[in-house]
Amino acid sequence: MSQPVTPRRTTRSCAGSAPDPASPSSPPRSRPKPSPRRQLLADTGAAVTKEEEAEGKGKGKRRIVALLEALPGRHAQATDLLRLLAPAPAPPLLLYGGAATGKTRALLLALRYVRPRPRRVAYAALRSLPSIRALFASLLSQLGLASSSSSASSRQRVPDKPSDFVAALRDALAGLSAQGEAVYLVFDNLEVVRSWNKGDQLLALLLRLHDLLRLPQVVIIYVSNATPDAYYSMTGSIEPNHIYFPDYTVDEVRDILMRGHPNPKLYSSFLSVTLKPLFRVTRRVDELAATLEPLFRKYYEPLGDSKSIPEEGMKRKLFEHIQPHLAVALNETFSVPLRASIEKYKDGSSGVKASAKRQFGSRDNLLTELEFHMSVSAKYLLLSAFLASRNPATLDAALFDSTGGSDNRRRKRKSSQASVAMKDNLVEEMLMKGPGTFPLERLLAIFQCITSVSEDTLSDVECPNSIMNGSGVAGLMSDVLLQLSTLCNSNFLSKSRSCPLEGSARYRSNIDEDLALKVARSVGFPLSKYIYRR
Amino acid sequence: MAAPPCDAPLTAASNIQPFFVLHKAAAASSAPASRGRRRADSSQPSLPGPKSSKRSRDVDASDEDVSELYQRLRLEAFHRTWSKIQSTIDEVLRGINLKLFDQVLHWIQESFSAIRAIAKPHHSEIQQPYPLITDVICRRIPAAFVLTKNAEFVDDITTFRDLAEHLESNGCHLAKLSATELSPKNGVGGCFRNLLRQLLSDVPDVADVSSLASWYCDTENYDQPIIIIIDDLEQCSGDILGELMMMLSEWVIKIPIFFVMGIATTLDAPRKLLSSEALQRLEPCKLTLGSPTDRMNALVEAILVKPCAGFCISHEVAVFLRNYFFRHDGTITSFISALKELWREKIEALPEAMQKYAFSLPSCTSGKNSSDPSISISEGLLELLKLQRDWSAVLLCLYEAGRHDKVQLLDIFCEAINPDLQNASNRDLFSKTTSENLSGAKLGSGNRFIDQAMNTVRYLPLETLSRVLDVWSAHLKGMSEISDKLKELQSTTIGADNVRTAKEKWTRKYLVPVECLPFHEIICFKNVGILQSALIGNPRRMVQLDLLKSQSHLKCSCCSRSGTAVSGSLHDTSIMCNLAQEYGDVINLHDWYIAFEEQDSAEPLLRCKSPVFFGCQAREGLILCRESHLALRDLNRRDPVADGIKALDSIL
């Protein structure tokens, strides 16, 4: 029952003032598979129709009850909505509050129950409209007569300029509201407009729409994440009424999550364990629902199926079972599950695991640790980029002399208190700044240094009786720039755009130390010796 | 590139050649020059087939028609056999990918039914601009992250293309978005338009999601999910992609749009790229491709170990290939192109080898058969093939055991093909006790992987061992003596040591490297130098040649004379390339161009009929030239000749 007002239906119900079976609040016909919730809505809808027929006194009350039923924890907001929407010559209305607090849902449901019935509702979700023109086109086609929604005519009529749009909008609305019933214009996700190209102008236009149109039968409703202060400092238009949707409390969230659950007993015992700790992390219902869903599947795993009802002892067992998973979920904002079928497949192929661990070649270890394949020279290049970003350029000479540099650093240790403090400041500053940029020349120099140090050991390990070693082709230097582009493409390095004629493009490494250490381990490079710490 | 029509399905793979830095080209360009005209003209890998034959005809017309005929026949033979190899490669790779494809399809079906279980909106409901009011809080787009496990992306271009085909043939609606579309320049609007253009036949002037909704309501489109494939997530702009996700997530119940995204590195990539709000809108799922090493093993097994191609490679070449794979490139693509080059070279050299037979091959004279000159070549070849078959069977058995200890086939292969192995094992027989002590270190390093594979057998648990034995019996079907012994081993529940000793015996007997066999010159490819220049030098050489001989591409009347002298009307980059060759050292491109510019202004170079060559157009050429090395992705490792021509075209 998610579709209160199709234009055509409303028109019909207007033409004949008698109660119409096809009126929006009547139960839907030929719905394939109504969910329990829909059934509920449909029932209340039927009740309302009956109520209308009887034209009894408690009509308004019944409506509110039905609306409140559908909006748990939103008592005040629902009554406000019905009150502020009802008389047609109403000032604009702003619904605001955090994400996933039920603003849009409350509004859409309230519009379904508001009396007199809206003649038409035009809804524009600004997030799903890619451009200003699309917004204009969408609104006008929703307001236009049923026939004008065909693509051919709308293509001709889409205005480009805001002034044209306002004129067209007024024309369309004037025709509709002449008959005395209210037309509602809803702008959802108003906050996204600010980031649009020419968003400020559009925002000013939308907020002044009430003044510009001057049509008493048109009610303009904004829905936004941001508070009213974000908008009304910029225009001189009249301030709309606003309704604040606060975040849900724990109990409200529990009520919402419990609604329509097939096994409420099991689920409530689950929620009593998990909801409170997770609620400290996020209060958004959608995020909570997304996090709880896999946890619940884990929760009833020992029971075997989700239908059974656990007794006390079992509940404790289930709690112990879920505890570690909960701890993980608390720390993870974005978890990506591996598909089960792959795990099975992997188990089959990697039979012996523990047998002779020391025999594993270094390269194979890397594949399991690093998770992806990279050629050895790309790895060295990545390491040198990491070092170049991490270390100040002034230290290069000390670190990478002919011996590989580690003994020079020993000497630096004994320095005065003051210089140590100064260096601490320097390090702190570096950390605050993040990875530094470096020119290509520096990268190549470091690369040459660290490969020349490790080349000998590498060639011993990698290819014991290769004839290629001396020839230089198998050396790592040959296609560095090729590897560089690979690294840039995989976002490990970022390259600043600059004039290629000057050749002054600077690079920056984006990897964190963990990954760098993993890479270093996979090629047997003593990275920690080269990282400048203090 | 010499892309015969037969390998059209894998053009992206076979067309790809790595590029190199210009100033390092000296060695590579001198090397092929020393090998004579025939090689330089006819066997350049990157010339289109008809063109290459035309060119060779030009040269050989003065010589004789016969050689031209032979050349054509050879080319034909090459294409025919290569297409066979190519199809084997395709099959192998497709077999590996198919597992993933089926998983993706399964995931799509699951997600689709999950979404439909939440709500099955009516057509009129779908077209409403406002969201459905359901009780289930669902705004999450199912998204599959496909980990390609290779930082280098080239191999996966074909994989994702095949995936798209596979899904489309299974009824999904498909759209592909690439990094160029998901760039800030396009914005989310442009990106969405692009999406619509791939799905809708008629995209309205002002497109928003509702036009997609009304398209989806058409009966022929309804009831199938829409899949958006983004093959290189890392290169996309996170903002734009995030915005697109937010936009589509509002509609996900009405229009089931799923994402399939390729990630080259780790799962950190989407975490770093996308805002947390966008991530919350995804219902992620991880899928993994076979790692490059897996694919490599499969390829080596199909092409090199099993005698599919009819040629084999020497130890030297194998080691070169392996090092190239692990150290430099790490792509299957370049491995395949190397194989192709090998095969082409083999076909070229085959007649010579046969000719040599008349003067007796060194392997026949030096070996024990030298006393018996009557042995016929056909017998010898048959014997060789049989030995090859046995060899590969035993090698595969070794690998089967070794893979339980993560031994790679390419490693075992390199070792097994080493001619020193034979000598060493012979020596081993003679002085078993001393060799342990004296040359233990050397042997140990030489036989590392084979020994490891042998040792694994010892540690295998019993059920794994019997599984291994089953696979062995499949491999060893043709070899009667071993398979009997194997049956014996299988029937008696054996200790692992039995198996190991038996295995050792066979290994010593059958694992004779090809280079120790008579007649191996005919089928064995040994020339590393050609391969090196093909993999490393050729593309670079192409760019250089094109720059040096730009007249032949431009065909302008003023520069028509085909001399090597630098004429003033040449394109700046060509002039510079010519001069740099003479100069013979690393040059500063920028300074040279500045110098050219000053020269230009002093004496206007409008002699050429195409004055646009100079000034800013020339600069573009320079940028192309320079960028082709730094930003290789721009040229996308395509055909160097075509790119060279394109570069010149764009200058024109």
Side-chain angles (χ1 to χ4, degrees):
Chain A
M1 189 58 216
S2 45
Q3 182 206 17
V5 266
T6 58
R8 196 156 36 82
R9 284 178 178 174
T10 347
T11 328
R12 216 192 294 160
S13 75
C14 271
S17 58
D20 190 341
S23 71
S25 49
S26 68
R29 298 158 301 175
S30 74
R31 185 89 50 198
K33 200 176 86 183
S35 66
R37 177 68 216 123
R38 290 167 166 217
Q39 204 61 59
L40 175 72
L41 272 183
D43 288 348
T44 51
V48 171
T49 338
K50 223 187 289 164
E51 203 48 52
E52 266 180 307
E53 278 166 13
E55 301 206 325
K57 271 175 122 190
K59 175 173 132 189
K61 220 175 193 179
R62 281 289 191 86
R63 281 206 324 257
I64 292 179
V65 168
L67 181 60
L68 292 180
E69 183 78 20
L71 294 171
R74 287 284 171 253
H75 188 281
Q77 286 78 15
T79 39
D80 278 0
L81 263 178
L82 284 184
R83 186 167 51 82
L84 291 172
L85 288 175
L93 181 62
L94 171 71
L95 276 59
Y96 70 100
T101 46
K103 299 180 294 292
T104 305
R105 181 187 166 89
L107 177 66
L108 290 178
L109 282 173
L111 283 175
R112 191 180 292 177
Y113 288 107
V114 81
R115 293 294 176 278
R117 282 215 196 90
R119 176 162 167 77
R120 185 154 302 187
V121 176
Y123 176 90
L126 293 160
R127 175 161 286 144
S128 52
L129 293 165
S131 66
I132 296 179
R133 281 192 76 208
L135 167 69
F136 294 169
S138 163
L139 274 182
L140 290 178
S141 77
Q142 285 181 60
L143 289 173
L145 298 172
S147 62
S148 73
S149 63
S150 77
S151 61
S153 61
S154 70
R155 188 173 295 175
Q156 295 158 2
R157 294 194 301 126
V158 175
D160 282 323
K161 275 190 279 184
S163 52
D164 295 346
F165 165 67
V166 172
L169 191 64
R170 184 183 285 129
D171 286 351
L173 287 172
L176 284 171
S177 60
Q179 287 150 44
E181 283 175 52
V183 176
Y184 291 86
L185 293 183
V186 182
F187 296 96
D188 207 341
N189 318 116
L190 192 65
E191 70 280 352
V192 299
V193 178
R194 287 184 294 184
S195 62
W196 282 12
N197 184 22
K198 292 187 188 165
D200 285 344
Q201 292 169 31
L202 179 67
L203 198 59
L205 172 78
L206 292 183
L207 291 174
R208 281 167 53 224
L209 211 51
H210 183 75
D211 294 346
L212 291 172
L213 290 172
R214 296 196 175 284
L215 293 167
Q217 299 297 328
V218 177
V219 183
I220 298 169
I221 305 163
Y222 309 105
V223 182
S224 161
N225 275 347
T227 56
D229 310 345
Y231 304 112
Y232 289 98
S233 52
M234 46 169 91
T235 61
S237 55
I238 57 160
E239 193 162 329
N241 294 318
H242 40 246
I243 302 177
Y244 175 54
F245 283 70
D247 285 345
Y248 290 113
T249 63
V250 194
D251 297 328
E252 285 163 354
V253 169
R254 180 176 297 124
D255 287 349
I256 292 170
L257 291 172
M258 287 295 295
R259 275 152 57 94
H261 201 276
N263 189 349
K265 282 241 171 82
L266 180 64
Y267 200 65
S268 79
S269 73
F270 165 70
L271 284 185
S272 66
V273 178
T274 50
L275 189 57
K276 276 240 171 80
L278 280 174
F279 198 71
R280 260 177 267 138
V281 180
T282 176
R283 303 189 156 205
R284 288 178 54 168
V285 188
D286 53 349
E287 289 186 10
L288 282 171
T291 324
L292 286 170
E293 196 243 318
L295 275 178
F296 183 59
R297 259 184 279 133
K298 274 265 160 8
Y299 184 73
Y300 68 73
E301 220 170 47
L303 289 175
D305 73 321
S306 59
K307 300 280 186 294
S308 53
I309 296 161
E311 72 280 10
E312 256 337 284
M314 195 59 204
K315 271 186 193 168
R316 204 163 300 129
K317 218 179 249 173
L318 289 179
F319 172 66
E320 276 159 19
H321 173 70
I322 197 71
Q323 191 70 10
H325 299 292
L326 184 63
V328 172
L330 282 174
N331 287 322
E332 208 163 35
T333 49
F334 181 65
S335 66
V336 184
L338 187 69
R339 280 182 60 84
S341 50
I342 306 174
E343 284 172 315
K344 262 184 256 156
Y345 160 67
K346 269 196 171 167
D347 283 348
S349 69
S350 67
V352 200
K353 214 165 67 180
S355 62
K357 236 185 180 146
R358 55 173 182 84
Q359 291 182 8
F360 288 4
S362 58
R363 193 167 55 239
D364 308 348
N365 262 338
L366 125 87
L367 280 177
T368 51
E369 277 179 26
L370 201 59
E371 291 177 338
F372 59 94
H373 180 93
M374 220 180 358
S375 61
V376 177
S377 58
K379 279 178 190 161
Y380 273 106
L381 194 66
L382 186 60
L383 289 178
S384 25
F386 176 72
L387 288 175
S389 262
R390 190 59 199 272
N391 294 345
T394 45
L395 274 181
D396 281 354
L399 282 175
F400 306 106
D401 60 0
S402 54
T403 59
S406 43
D407 34 32
N408 269 7
R409 292 185 58 233
R410 293 284 122 75
R411 241 186 292 132
K412 284 214 186 72
R413 277 291 153 83
K414 40 178 183 179
S415 46
S416 72
Q417 199 74 23
S419 69
V420 168
M422 205 180 73
K423 266 184 195 154
D424 279 354
N425 286 341
L426 191 77
V427 170
E428 205 165 282
E429 198 179 314
M430 261 171 49
L431 283 179
M432 299 285 274
K433 272 189 203 157
T437 63
F438 49 88
L440 182 62
E441 287 77 9
R442 189 173 161 224
L443 175 70
L444 292 181
I446 294 181
F447 178 75
Q448 191 141 33
C449 287
I450 65 174
T451 45
S452 67
V453 170
S454 53
E455 191 92 297
D456 335 317
T457 53
L458 181 87
S459 47
D460 282 349
V461 179
E462 287 278 310
C463 39
N465 28 17
S466 159
I467 318 150
M468 234 53 51
N469 279 338
S471 72
V473 179
L476 294 171
M477 267 318 265
S478 49
D479 52 356
V480 183
L481 298 182
L482 178 76
Q483 310 292 356
L484 191 65
S485 82
T486 302
L487 293 180
C488 285
N489 279 327
S490 50
N491 267 351
F492 286 146
L493 297 188
S494 56
K495 180 185 172 192
S496 67
R497 278 269 152 235
S498 63
C499 174
L501 270 186
E502 245 97 84
S504 62
R506 291 179 77 87
Y507 295 82
R508 179 203 299 271
S509 105
N510 296 328
I511 61 170
D512 50 6
E513 199 170 330
D514 282 345
L515 183 64
L517 283 174
K518 263 189 203 172
V519 171
R521 218 175 299 136
S522 71
V523 289
F525 176 74
L527 181 69
S528 48
K529 264 201 330 200
Y530 291 91
I531 300 178
Y532 173 71
R533 290 199 191 274
R534 61 172 56 192
Chain B
M1 166 119 191
C6 50
D7 57 10
L10 216 97
T11 34
S14 54
N15 274 350
I16 289 155
Q17 296 266 350
F19 278 79
F20 258 77
V21 203
L22 259 182
H23 62 71
K24 285 226 163 196
S29 58
S30 68
S34 66
R35 268 205 307 282
R37 196 187 55 196
R38 190 184 60 97
R39 155 95 192 116
D41 280 327
S42 61
S43 61
Q44 280 162 0
S46 330
L47 286 171
K51 195 168 187 176
S52 113
S53 62
K54 204 177 93 198
R55 273 186 72 171
S56 64
R57 199 175 303 146
D58 289 344
V59 176
D60 291 340
S62 56
D63 291 1
E64 43 190 328
D65 289 345
V66 187
S67 74
E68 187 201 344
L69 177 70
Y70 284 158
Q71 181 63 28
R72 215 176 47 233
L73 284 177
R74 239 176 267 159
L75 210 71
E76 209 171 282
F78 164 71
H79 286 326
R80 195 168 300 159
T81 42
W82 176 252
S83 73
K84 213 165 70 188
I85 300 175
Q86 180 82 60
S87 63
T88 316
I89 294 173
D90 286 352
E91 220 167 87
V92 168
L93 292 181
R94 193 162 295 144
I96 292 177
N97 288 338
L98 218 55
K99 270 181 216 146
L100 171 84
F101 292 174
D102 285 338
Q103 278 172 5
V104 173
L105 197 65
H106 195 68
W107 166 79
I108 287 172
Q109 284 156 356
E110 263 175 31
S111 313
F112 187 60
S113 55
I115 282 206
R116 279 288 185 252
I118 291 167
K120 205 165 190 307
H122 195 256
H123 284 202
S124 59
E125 284 175 330
I126 292 179
Q127 294 189 34
Q128 290 299 328
Y130 32 82
L132 282 180
I133 297 181
T134 54
D135 256 17
V136 187
I137 307 146
C138 174
R139 273 189 303 195
R140 302 214 298 162
I141 305 179
F145 294 116
V146 179
L147 294 180
T148 58
K149 287 198 175 176
N150 193 349
E152 185 59 65
F153 179 67
V154 202
D155 287 343
D156 304 313
I157 297 173
T158 46
T159 309
F160 279 99
R161 200 196 51 202
D162 291 348
L163 175 66
E165 276 170 16
H166 186 80
L167 296 182
E168 209 157 22
S169 67
N170 279 287
C172 306
H173 304 299
L174 215 86
K176 279 190 99 171
L177 291 178
S178 69
T180 42
E181 277 125 28
L182 285 163
S183 65
K185 203 176 77 192
N186 260 339
V188 73
C191 183
F192 185 71
R193 274 198 83 78
N194 198 306
L195 186 70
L196 287 185
R197 218 172 289 133
Q198 293 182 49
L199 294 169
L200 279 63
S201 53
D202 173 36
V203 181
D205 179 34
V206 185
D208 63 352
V209 190
S210 56
S211 41
L212 184 64
S214 58
W215 169 82
Y216 189 67
C217 283
D218 291 350
T219 38
E220 74 265 23
N221 302 328
Y222 197 70
D223 258 351
Q224 282 298 339
I226 301 170
I227 314 295
I228 300 180
I229 293 187
I230 299 171
D231 49 14
D232 44 353
L233 181 69
E234 271 100 342
Q235 293 173 61
C236 298
S237 149
D239 293 343
I240 302 299
L241 184 59
E243 254 180 78
L244 185 72
M245 283 169 174
M246 304 278 278
M247 179 171 162
L248 295 177
S249 70
E250 305 273 347
W251 290 74
V252 71
I253 300 184
K254 295 184 185 179
I255 313 171
I257 293 188
F258 306 159
F259 281 100
V260 174
M261 290 178 274
I263 300 179
T265 53
T266 57
L267 277 176
D268 281 341
R271 286 201 188 101
K272 281 182 182 166
L273 201 67
L274 295 169
S275 66
S276 73
E277 205 175 354
L279 283 179
Q280 286 295 342
R281 299 294 178 93
L282 293 181
E283 197 171 342
C285 155
K286 183 169 99 177
L287 295 162
T288 43
L289 265 180
S291 71
T293 350
D294 291 347
R295 296 196 216 181
M296 194 57 152
N297 286 338
L299 269 190
V300 169
E301 180 177 338
I303 307 293
L304 294 178
V305 177
K306 286 184 180 157
C308 119
F311 78 103
C312 57
I313 58 176
S314 73
H315 174 241
E316 213 175 300
V317 173
V319 169
F320 172 78
L321 278 180
R322 191 185 71 154
N323 283 347
Y324 192 72
F325 177 72
F326 283 115
R327 288 201 188 172
H328 293 293
D329 199 80
T331 60
I332 302 294
T333 309
S334 68
F335 186 75
I336 294 173
S337 66
L339 284 181
K340 188 170 184 180
E341 188 55 29
L342 285 177
W343 183 233
R344 177 196 302 276
E345 207 49 45
K346 196 66 222 165
I347 293 248
E348 291 280 327
L350 197 57
E352 272 174 43
M354 301 294 260
Q355 230 167 28
K356 251 193 207 152
Y357 169 69
F359 308 102
S360 72
L361 291 167
S363 65
C364 301
T365 51
S366 66
K368 51 187 180 291
N369 297 329
S370 60
S371 54
D372 184 12
S374 66
I375 180 167
S376 82
I377 188 162
S378 58
E379 269 173 45
L381 279 178
L382 279 179
E383 179 65 19
L384 181 62
L385 282 183
K386 188 188 167 303
L387 286 174
Q388 265 305 104
R389 237 186 346 260
D390 295 353
W391 179 83
S392 61
V394 173
L395 185 69
L396 286 178
C397 290
L398 263 182
Y399 171 56
E400 186 57 37
R403 68 195 279 169
H404 291 284
D405 200 7
K406 298 194 174 179
V407 176
Q408 307 298 338
L409 182 57
L410 191 55
D411 293 334
I412 295 194
F413 178 77
C414 281
E415 262 178 35
I417 211 165
N418 188 354
D420 295 344
L421 176 77
Q422 181 70 3
N423 307 336
S425 64
N426 284 340
R427 204 175 347 134
D428 219 23
L429 278 176
F430 293 137
S431 58
K432 194 150 194 172
T433 44
T434 49
S435 71
E436 289 279 314
N437 309 331
L438 288 177
S439 56
K442 190 186 176 300
L443 279 181
S445 65
N447 285 351
R448 216 156 42 110
F449 294 109
I450 292 183
D451 285 348
Q452 192 182 335
M454 295 280 210
N455 278 332
T456 324
V457 179
R458 193 182 285 169
Y459 299 118
L460 282 181
L462 212 60
E463 71 266 34
T464 327
L465 189 66
S466 65
R467 214 183 313 146
V468 169
L469 285 178
D470 288 346
V471 180
W472 281 11
S473 65
H475 283 317
L476 298 171
K477 214 161 237 167
M479 302 162 71
S480 51
E481 37 189 321
I482 296 191
S483 36
D484 289 347
K485 176 77 180 156
L486 194 66
K487 276 198 197 98
E488 206 177 294
L489 284 177
Q490 267 174 320
S491 57
T492 58
T493 35
I494 23 69
D497 271 335
N498 277 345
V499 181
R500 184 163 176 270
T501 44
K503 182 77 209 161
E504 233 165 47
K505 214 170 69 199
W506 304 335
T507 308
R508 195 153 294 153
K509 186 168 172 196
Y510 289 102
L511 216 56
V512 182
V514 66
E515 281 174 271
C516 302
L517 296 175
F519 296 113
H520 74 266
E521 283 92 341
I522 295 179
I523 62 163
C524 181
F525 180 83
K526 282 182 169 182
N527 197 340
V528 181
I530 289 175
L531 193 60
Q532 263 178 28
S533 73
L535 275 183
I536 299 174
N538 257 344
R540 226 177 344 157
R541 191 160 56 94
M542 282 304 160
V543 174
Q544 280 194 341
L545 279 182
D546 285 342
L547 279 176
L548 291 176
K549 293 185 194 157
S550 57
Q551 300 102 320
S552 63
H553 289 297
L554 299 176
K555 298 199 174 72
C556 58
S557 56
C558 52
C559 318
S560 60
R561 76 200 161 83
S562 57
T564 49
V566 177
S567 81
S569 60
L570 272 179
H571 175 232
D572 279 12
T573 313
S574 287
I575 296 179
M576 191 180 59
C577 197
N578 273 308
L579 293 178
Q581 289 276 314
E582 288 170 24
Y583 187 66
D585 198 359
V586 181
I587 61 164
N588 184 336
L589 281 177
H590 181 230
D591 289 354
W592 281 40
Y593 269 98
I594 296 269
F596 283 174
E597 210 167 43
E598 282 161 6
Q599 185 72 29
D600 284 1
S601 54
E603 177 196 358
L605 276 173
L606 291 177
R607 278 159 299 180
C608 182
K609 293 263 170 62
S610 317
V612 275
F613 276 31
F614 301 96
C616 59
Q617 293 285 346
R619 181 143 311 153
E620 234 176 71
L622 163 69
I623 292 167
L624 257 173
C625 192
R626 201 188 156 95
E627 290 287 87
S628 63
H629 315 117
L630 294 182
L632 275 161
R633 208 45 68 97
D634 294 349
L635 292 177
N636 211 357
R637 306 180 110 206
R638 280 178 314 233
D639 173 12
V641 180
D643 281 329
I645 294 170
K646 204 187 295 162
L648 292 167
D649 273 351
S650 71
I651 294 161
L652 278 169

